[in-house]
Amino acid sequence: MIQVPEGRRPVLPMDPRRTAKRTFCGTCPMTPMPDTTPSLLSAQVTVRYPGKAPVLRGVSLEIARGEIVGLVGQSGSGKSTLALAILGLLGRQRAIVEGNIFFQGVDLLTLRERELRNLRGRSLSLVLQSPLASLNPALEIRTQLHEAWRAHTNGPSRAEDCNVAIQSALKSVSLPSSDTNGDFLSKHASQLSVGQAQRVLIAMAILHRPALLIADEATSALDIITQSEILELFASLNREIGMSILYISHDLPSVAGICQRIAILHEGQIVECGPTEQIFTAPVHAYTRRLMSALPQVPVRREVLLARAHAATFK
């Protein structure tokens, strides 16, 4: 985790790779995109429950292809609600979702459940906070990976294709594949470390190489070292397969390591959104400034801080 010296805000290094695909969301400056490629995701939504005030109020968020966007806010601000709205998973909670969520040019709010199931796990994937709780304790890791592949495959599923995809996903997250260590796939969730379990969940999420991965507090249950490894893994997946990532967290320092842009969600609204450098060095909204002032303050040399932030992004 990034440590911030007393009385200073981190000044992150500028790099053209971090701003090449800047888009708009919430209060982002209206600067034209450098190319004409349409946004991968464009959402303008309000979410409410019967008889209650809206959880999300006119939230506007856009994600470009190949971009990592951080969504930051305190507990209860609506971060997970936005993620579930994008995935179309609020129906059982009787939530009312108004507006539109365009993904790859299609408004997800107009799709039927069957059509949404064809997108989940293939084009849209989710990684949750508690890996050991998300895995089935009764099944081997091999079985769970096979089931995840079959569940999100359109049409007949060939065993050969499944095995190739599983081996590729495991290698992408630095876990033993069946080619190198068959014993690992025979393990159960209780036999894995928390870091290994989280990597298994990520492997499941990328089996079909989704266009967008939503990581909802995916590192909050991990220790500092494992958290750093998972952040580097997300950055690597983004570089290697061009996968866009919506990285949801309440932890600004971890977001600073991998995100090109950060959106600040407060009381159901995005109050500020912009490039990571701007959010950290020149926050506009009072709530964002309060978040910055609450960052850990320990005596760390500024040069060390900058080196850590740069290494986490481009390693």
Side-chain angles (χ1 to χ4, degrees), residues 279-295:
I279 293 294
F280 271 84
T281 61
V284 176
H285 195 274
Y287 178 72
T288 310
R289 292 197 295 268
R290 290 201 301 271
L291 285 180
M292 291 301 169
S293 65
L295 284 170

Side-chain angles (χ1 to χ4, degrees), residues 19-59:
T19 56
K21 294 184 178 180
R22 187 180 304 172
T23 54
F24 319 122
C25 74
T27 57
C28 286
M30 296 300 291
T31 304
M33 290 178 61
D35 56 47
T36 57
T37 304
S39 297
L40 176 67
L41 178 79
S42 177
Q44 295 81 35
V45 294
T46 293
V47 178
R48 59 168 52 89
Y49 295 92
K52 298 182 179 180
V55 178
L56 298 176
R57 295 176 291 160
V59 166

Side-chain angles (χ1 to χ4, degrees), residues 63 155 204:
I63 302 175
M204 289 182 179

Side-chain angles (χ1 to χ4, degrees), residues 71-80 217 248-252 263-269 287 290-291:
L71 182 63
V72 175
Q74 65 192 53
S75 298
S77 60
K79 302 186 304 296
S80 295
E217 300 284 5
I248 300 173
S249 179
H250 63 276
D251 180 28
L252 265 172
I264 307 296
L265 187 62
H266 178 54
E267 295 182 348
Q269 292 183 301
Y287 178 72
R290 290 201 301 271
L291 285 180

